[in-house]
Amino acid sequence: MHKKRVFSGVQPTGNLHLGNYLGAIKNFVDLQNKFECVYCIVDLHAITNRQDPKELESNILETVASFVAAGLNPEKNIILNQASVAAHAELAWIFNCVARIGWLNRMTQFKEKAGANKENASVGLMVYPNLMAADILLYKATHVPVGEDQKQHLELTRDIAKKFNNDFNCGEYFPIVEPLIPKEVSRVMSLRDGKKKMSKSEESDQSRINLKDNKDLIDQKIKKAKTDAASIPTEVGGLKNRHEASNLVSIYASLNNIKVENVLKDFGGKNFSTFKSKLSESIIEKICPIGDEINKLLKNKDYLYKILENGSKKADLIAKKNLKEIYDIVGLKKFS
Ligand code: TYM
């Protein structure tokens, strides 16, 4: 039996949004009181797409600030940046040799991100899920809080763990991880198109609520959010094929920690303008204090660097010990 440990990661690509918050970071905060947690700013993942070095550095700090502003306690959790712990990249190489090319070819996120010109995507983008498996398994994490878009990557992590355990005949050396995906809103969708995921790479800023948006901007974006002509349904079945309506109701449910059916009990039969003003209020109440705190924390860069330094040292101790075991299993020796 493995000791329960939570691991998750967020890319420092700027503009963390409501999808990152409701899909992942809100859950990180809830879990910190129940498990030993490791939360990682995955800077090595970010460079699978070209990054401006100066911007990358400031986005890393902004991601630490967002974690803390959302309620993560740096004393209680290990908060690190991936580049500080070399074993992430070392284990990823071992997994490059365990995972099969066919497995990676099936990854839908690679297809989406590489777009039409697959030949021109970085090799890093292709093997990215192996690095993600390494992030998690390096700490022998058992539970991984993520949004629904990462589910396929976690299935691959499970396949890699099983194949490694089997190939090297080492029992259940690597745990078979459990994804923790929020029920009410597993995938927050764009405010402009309910079939597309809310994303930092989407060109229109109107499509998302950023954690640093102010009250007026949030109000304006929700007023403009796409809906349909019908009123709010009274039953969950009435949301079927109404992607935009379903998204807004789910966001409200998640922010208020209630079930979608209870939102429909309160708002069923009402029009969207009434609902939207309540939704704006909820978003403003939860998100604006986080945005204010991010801005405050960003004024104290030394404090944010200290969090990463302390967290990375703690993570490195676990990682080095586990990597030594893994090298022994594989038959590799380190002489330095
Ligand atoms: P990233 O940086 O794209 O997103 C960070 C987290 O936010 C969630 N998320 C969403 N959830 C719901 N609705 C959305 N619209 C939405 N957009 C983003 C993501 O699911 C994720 O949980 N590959 C990962 C980072 C990673 C990782 C890991 C995660 C690297 N190593 C190990 C877990 C464990 C990614 O790119 O997330």
Side-chain angles (χ1 to χ4, degrees):
M1 271 298 276
H2 286 277
K3 185 174 146 200
K4 285 185 178 163
R5 181 179 275 156
V6 165
F7 181 95
S8 198
V10 174
Q11 289 199 54
T13 36
N15 266 353
L16 287 190
H17 52 72
L18 193 62
N20 299 122
Y21 178 68
L22 295 179
I25 299 171
K26 181 170 177 273
N27 227 352
F28 298 178
V29 177
D30 293 342
L31 289 163
Q32 68 181 339
N33 298 318
K34 300 183 197 132
F35 294 102
E36 184 192 316
C37 301
V38 183
Y39 294 122
C40 186
I41 293 151
V42 290
D43 41 16
L44 297 178
H45 275 97
I47 61 163
T48 53
N49 283 314
R50 194 162 176 172
Q51 301 291 328
D52 174 84
K54 282 262 164 314
E55 263 176 44
L56 178 59
E57 207 180 325
S58 85
N59 286 340
I60 291 170
L61 280 191
E62 190 164 319
T63 311
V64 189
S66 305
F67 280 4
V68 177
L72 281 186
N73 179 345
E75 307 294 324
K76 211 171 194 170
N77 305 285
I78 297 182
I79 298 177
L80 74 145
N81 70 307
Q82 201 180 20
S84 290
V85 177
H88 285 253
E90 294 179 79
L91 182 56
W93 178 255
I94 292 180
F95 288 168
N96 282 344
C97 303
V98 173
R100 307 289 89 185
I101 291 174
W103 299 358
L104 293 170
N105 273 337
R106 284 195 286 277
M107 294 295 114
T108 52
Q109 205 163 75
F110 173 72
K111 289 180 200 153
E112 279 164 26
K113 287 196 175 169
N117 196 357
K118 242 169 79 173
E119 297 291 309
N120 202 31
S122 73
V123 175
L125 191 65
M126 175 102 202
V127 294
Y128 168 121
N130 295 343
L131 177 59
M132 182 162 160
D135 298 338
I136 299 165
L137 295 174
L138 182 60
Y139 300 93
K140 298 191 204 166
T142 53
H143 294 79
V144 184
V146 281
E148 211 257 340
D149 61 325
Q150 297 299 319
K151 199 171 164 206
Q152 195 186 31
H153 290 159
L154 292 187
E155 278 157 15
L156 184 95
T157 302
R158 291 163 66 101
D159 289 341
I160 289 176
K162 283 182 202 158
K163 183 158 166 42
F164 183 98
N165 290 343
N166 200 41
D167 285 357
F168 294 100
N169 201 12
C170 53
E172 270 227 5
Y173 179 77
F174 283 127
I176 310 303
V177 292
E178 288 294 333
L180 300 172
I181 297 175
K183 280 204 185 68
E184 294 309 328
V185 65
S186 56
R187 194 182 273 256
V188 177
M189 307 310 274
S190 153
L191 300 178
R192 310 301 293 157
D193 177 351
K195 287 192 189 139
K196 267 190 176 167
K197 181 177 85 164
M198 183 178 284
S199 155
K200 42 198 157 194
S201 53
E202 177 68 41
E203 218 174 289
S204 164
D205 191 58
Q206 292 292 323
S207 69
R208 62 183 162 259
I209 304 285
N210 304 303
L211 296 186
K212 292 204 303 179
D213 283 351
N214 65 30
K215 183 173 172 299
D216 292 343
L217 197 52
I218 292 174
D219 216 30
Q220 180 238 326
K221 285 181 179 175
I222 294 299
K223 273 201 184 108
K224 282 199 181 155
K226 195 172 163 200
T227 48
D228 52 37
S231 52
I232 313 254
T234 48
E235 305 288 330
V236 177
L239 287 171
K240 198 160 175 240
N241 294 326
R242 294 179 65 191
H243 303 285
E244 285 81 17
S246 170
N247 186 38
L248 296 185
V249 168
S250 304
I251 292 175
Y252 185 89
S254 173
L255 281 168
N256 291 289
N257 295 316
I258 55 176
K259 291 206 160 108
V260 164
E261 57 220 63
N262 291 334
V263 182
L264 301 183
K265 266 190 203 136
D266 290 346
F267 291 98
K270 299 209 166 98
N271 59 26
F272 272 101
S273 68
T274 314
F275 174 69
K276 278 181 166 181
S277 73
K278 288 287 175 205
L279 176 61
S280 274
E281 269 174 33
S282 290
I283 299 176
I284 289 166
E285 191 189 311
K286 295 277 164 21
I287 297 303
C288 288
I290 298 179
D292 293 344
E293 189 61 22
I294 295 174
N295 288 328
K296 220 160 79 193
L297 286 163
L298 282 174
K299 293 196 181 115
N300 193 348
K301 291 193 175 157
D302 289 346
Y303 171 64
L304 298 174
Y305 278 125
K306 201 76 206 159
I307 292 176
L308 287 182
E309 194 187 327
N310 289 341
S312 298
K313 277 186 186 151
K314 287 186 206 158
D316 201 44
L317 286 178
I318 306 173
K320 279 215 173 91
K321 178 178 166 289
N322 289 346
L323 190 72
K324 160 117 190 27
E325 288 174 6
I326 297 162
Y327 270 37
D328 284 345
I329 292 172
V330 176
L332 295 167
K333 290 275 168 274
K334 268 192 172 194
F335 294 102
S336 59

